[in-house]
């Protein structure tokens, strides 16, 4: 089977871990017919090479799919997902990138949390595993984005 992410080991060489975006986790949790397979394979591949990390924003976004905190905790075990707080530097960078987005005509309804996730990856020297890479590539070009290519979809 073809890997979900090409040249993963090399792409992770400058990163201290992988921040896992909520869309990947929700694809797996819901067995999404379009993305579940790619997200599952990509997550396993990343886990084989480095630490998987989530933050409070990702945790909150994923929590929407669960009725109890116990069920959420069972799906995000601390033995697999390291939890990291969001630092002040990431908050500053998220705000600046969101402001740039707005000045370029971005809609107000676009979620600031995505910018905070991108900033966390940038400040924390983390790769970002996501299937929604366009905004991250535009506003955080220095981070290593692990996303599907058209051939993988």
């Amino acid at each position: 089977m073809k890997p979900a992410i090409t040249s993963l080991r090399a792409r992770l060489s400058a990163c201290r871990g992988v921040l896992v975006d909520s869309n990947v986790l929700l694809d797996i949790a819901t067995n999404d017919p379009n993305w579940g397979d790619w997200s599952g394979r990509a997550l396993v591949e990343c886990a084989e090479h480095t630490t998987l990390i989530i933050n409070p924003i990702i945790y909150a976004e994923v929590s929407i799919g669960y009725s109890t905190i116990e069920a959420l905790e069972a799906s995000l075990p601390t033995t697999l997902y390291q939890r990291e707080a969001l630092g002040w530097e990431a908050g500053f960078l998220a705000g600046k990138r969101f402001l740039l987005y707005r000045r370029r005509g971005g809609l107000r309804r676009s979620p600031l949390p995505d910018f905070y996730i991108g900033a966390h990856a940038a400040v924390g020297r983390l790769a970002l595993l996501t299937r929604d890479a366009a905004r991250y590539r535009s506003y955080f070009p220095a981070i290593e984005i692990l996303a599907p290519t058209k051939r993988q979809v």
Side-chain angles (χ1 to χ4, degrees), residues 121-133:
V123 169
R125 294 182 306 112
L126 301 169
L128 177 62
L129 177 61
T130 184
R131 64 167 166 76
D132 187 19

Side-chain angles (χ1 to χ4, degrees), residues 13-26:
S13 65
C15 303
R16 65 176 185 83
V18 171
L19 188 62
V20 182
D21 201 357
S22 55
N23 55 38
V24 171
L25 297 169
L26 288 169

Side-chain angles (χ1 to χ4, degrees), residues 51-133:
T51 303
L52 301 178
I53 299 168
I54 59 172
N55 64 34
I57 290 174
I58 294 165
Y59 188 90
E61 289 179 334
V62 173
S63 76
I64 293 168
Y66 295 86
S67 58
T68 66
I69 194 168
E70 293 81 10
L72 176 60
E73 285 292 319
S75 75
L76 298 173
T78 57
T79 56
L80 184 57
Y81 300 96
Q82 179 178 318
R83 277 115 162 104
E84 283 193 5
L86 296 165
W88 297 103
E89 186 179 356
F92 181 83
L93 180 58
K96 293 302 178 192
R97 294 295 192 239
F98 184 72
L99 180 61
L100 177 61
Y101 166 80
R102 293 285 296 128
R103 287 183 175 158
R104 289 179 176 173
L107 303 173
R108 283 186 198 268
R109 71 176 190 266
S110 178
L112 180 58
D114 286 350
F115 288 90
Y116 219 143
I117 290 168
H120 183 190
V123 169
R125 294 182 306 112
L126 301 169
L128 177 62
L129 177 61
T130 184
R131 64 167 166 76
D132 187 19

Side-chain angles (χ1 to χ4, degrees), residues 1 8 12 32 69 89-90 94 121 140 145 152:
M1 178 180 289
L8 182 60
L12 293 176
D32 184 276
I69 194 168
E89 186 179 356
F140 300 96
I145 301 194
Q152 292 169 315

